Amino acid sequence: MASEDLSAPLGLGKRRILRLPFGLMGVGILSVVATTAAIWMGVVNDPFGGEPVAVVPLENAVNGLSSRDIEVVEIRPSLEGDLGPNLRREQNNASLGPRYNLQASAGDDGPSEGLLINPDPRVSERSDYGFLPRISSDGVRPLDAYARPFSSEFASIPKIAVIIGGLGLSETGTQNAIDSLPADVTFAMAPYGSNMDRWMQSARTKGHELLLQLPLEPFDFPDNDPGPHTLLISLRPGEMMDRLAWLMTRVTNYVGVINEMGARYTSTRPSMQYLLEKLTGRGLMFVDNGASSRSMSAEVAAEVKAPFSAVDVVLDAVPREDQINAKLLQLEGVARARGVAVASGSALPVTVRQLEVWSRDLEERGLLLVPVSATIDR
């Protein structure tokens, strides 16, 4: 071997690629690892790979249980940065939400769900324009009288409220929404619609809670005009109240209002304070449509103790099936992270169709559809 190395040309001597001692050691280590893994998989029955699990024995079967009888407990993900702004503020005042015990029995005046289809005389007063909402002498608010009853028994289940607006503008679209959507979907009535009392009674007969859409001034007014009687920040108090009275008498039996447009109005503190004080004095809630990141409605509502909620996701800004489905998925994520989420959409056929399909197995996915009054911060 030595003579071969001496006779080989310079630099072309044979090289030993594998040193035998280290090669044997490597083979031995690999053999030990493989043998250990095979023994572990054959002996240890752990299909979850070490993930912690809990096994609860069910000794007795209980008949008649539904998915709503089983409370879902989960770890809510920390996704706040990806969910958009949260306009709802934490409050601890339980009196802001509806008090269902103050509701009058519907009797012959309403459906089996118990929702009145005619104005409750306790919370209504006549005006030159029609019936105005008011707080009764014993403290009953329209929010109390007209809210769809909701049980807060399962507090940890994420809750979703969906508001469909524009009802009354299109006869076909309005009827389709009333016929297709579950009763826990809230409807927002347009003040410029036709046959408003008819649509109100039809929706309430099906058990739907109602809001009134309130046109507020946008930044590009009058180029972008929400319609006659729009509330403007430049109006004098007398003219403001006259327009507000006209709007509030377009329909009855609603729990509150939601703004239509209004980015400029909701970002102006004095105007929002004036409006929320008047609405609270009438026993109504205010829902911010979530269209403006500059809105001061949540801050002012907390100061004047107004019943308040806000939209987190607009479903059909792009009215296509794939876009609406993506927004519904985002809505579920907001609900799981925050415990409550509110969405808004219009009564377009594509929106109604996708909502109807989406809501069918919502409870099986551990989510609960609720009226918007159930999302008031308390």
Side-chain angles (χ1 to χ4, degrees):
M1 180 68 67
S3 61
E4 292 178 0
D5 292 338
L6 291 174
S7 61
L10 186 63
L12 297 179
K14 295 182 179 180
R15 298 181 180 177
R16 296 179 180 175
I17 298 177
L18 179 65
R19 294 175 180 259
L20 190 59
F22 292 101
L24 288 175
M25 291 174 60
V27 171
I29 292 173
L30 290 176
S31 299
V32 171
V33 171
T35 302
T36 303
I39 294 174
W40 177 269
M41 289 186 292
V43 175
V44 178
N45 182 18
D46 185 11
F48 298 101
E51 181 181 349
V53 297
V55 178
V56 179
L58 298 178
E59 299 178 356
N60 297 318
V62 180
N63 296 324
L65 284 180
S66 66
S67 58
R68 297 188 67 167
D69 299 316
I70 303 174
E71 187 169 0
V72 177
V73 180
E74 64 175 344
I75 299 176
R76 293 176 180 163
S78 179
L79 301 174
E80 193 70 24
D82 300 325
L83 298 176
N86 182 7
L87 295 182
R88 284 184 299 277
R89 292 181 168 231
E90 294 293 336
Q91 297 186 19
N92 295 317
N93 191 346
S95 65
L96 294 182
R99 295 166 293 177
Y100 307 116
N101 61 304
L102 299 179
Q103 293 186 352
S105 174
D108 297 331
D109 190 40
S112 59
E113 289 87 350
L115 301 187
L116 295 172
I117 61 174
N118 288 317
D120 186 332
R122 299 177 301 167
V123 293
S124 303
E125 66 178 1
R126 290 188 177 273
S127 72
D128 293 339
Y129 295 122
F131 284 107
L132 276 172
R134 70 180 181 99
I135 300 176
S136 72
S137 57
D138 54 353
V140 180
R141 304 168 297 173
L143 176 59
D144 303 318
Y146 301 134
R148 174 175 171 82
F150 165 74
S151 174
S152 58
E153 180 180 356
F154 305 107
S156 69
I157 299 180
K159 300 168 185 62
I160 293 177
V162 176
I163 304 167
I164 294 298
L167 264 73
L169 296 177
S170 164
E171 181 173 354
T172 303
T174 301
Q175 190 66 61
N176 180 47
I178 293 175
D179 290 341
S180 303
L181 294 175
D184 282 308
V185 172
T186 300
F187 290 148
M189 312 292 289
Y192 312 120
S194 58
N195 300 316
M196 296 296 287
D197 286 338
R198 168 194 166 194
W199 294 126
M200 178 274 291
Q201 292 183 354
S202 180
R204 297 278 295 177
T205 298
K206 291 293 187 70
H208 294 277
E209 190 171 270
L210 300 181
L211 294 171
L212 173 68
Q213 289 181 288
L214 205 63
L216 302 182
E217 181 181 0
F219 279 111
D220 52 354
F221 181 86
D223 295 333
N224 193 8
D225 190 347
H229 296 86
T230 294
L231 303 186
L232 309 173
I233 63 174
S234 59
L235 295 177
R236 296 180 181 273
E239 188 176 2
M240 175 77 74
M241 287 304 303
D242 185 72
R243 291 194 178 194
L244 183 59
W246 185 90
L247 291 165
M248 289 194 297
T249 55
R250 295 308 89 199
V251 71
T252 60
N253 295 52
Y254 52 90
V255 298
V257 304
I258 181 172
N259 56 306
E260 175 66 15
M261 300 188 188
R264 183 179 187 186
Y265 196 102
T266 58
S267 65
T268 307
R269 174 182 281 272
S271 298
M272 277 307 300
Q273 182 171 349
Y274 182 85
L275 176 61
L276 291 183
E277 286 176 350
K278 296 303 179 183
L279 293 175
T280 304
R282 291 279 172 183
L284 301 171
M285 71 178 295
F286 181 81
V287 181
D288 192 297
N289 69 1
S292 174
S293 60
R294 300 169 61 179
S295 174
M296 304 191 71
S297 60
E299 182 178 339
V300 176
E303 293 175 359
V304 302
K305 294 182 172 56
F308 176 80
S309 189
V311 171
D312 301 293
V313 178
V314 178
L315 297 175
D316 54 3
V318 181
R320 295 203 316 261
E321 288 187 6
D322 59 335
Q323 293 294 319
I324 294 173
N325 289 337
K327 290 297 184 179
L328 288 171
L329 189 61
Q330 178 187 352
L331 179 66
E332 293 187 18
V334 174
R336 296 183 192 280
R338 296 176 180 168
V340 62
V342 180
S344 68
S346 56
L348 296 172
V350 63
T351 306
V352 172
R353 182 171 61 252
Q354 297 309 111
L355 268 176
E356 193 275 328
V357 173
W358 168 80
S359 64
R360 290 175 189 171
D361 60 348
L362 193 63
E363 292 184 8
E364 283 72 13
R365 300 200 302 276
L367 298 164
L368 193 60
L369 192 61
V370 300
V372 72
S373 65
T375 69
I376 294 174
D377 293 332
R378 311 186 203 186

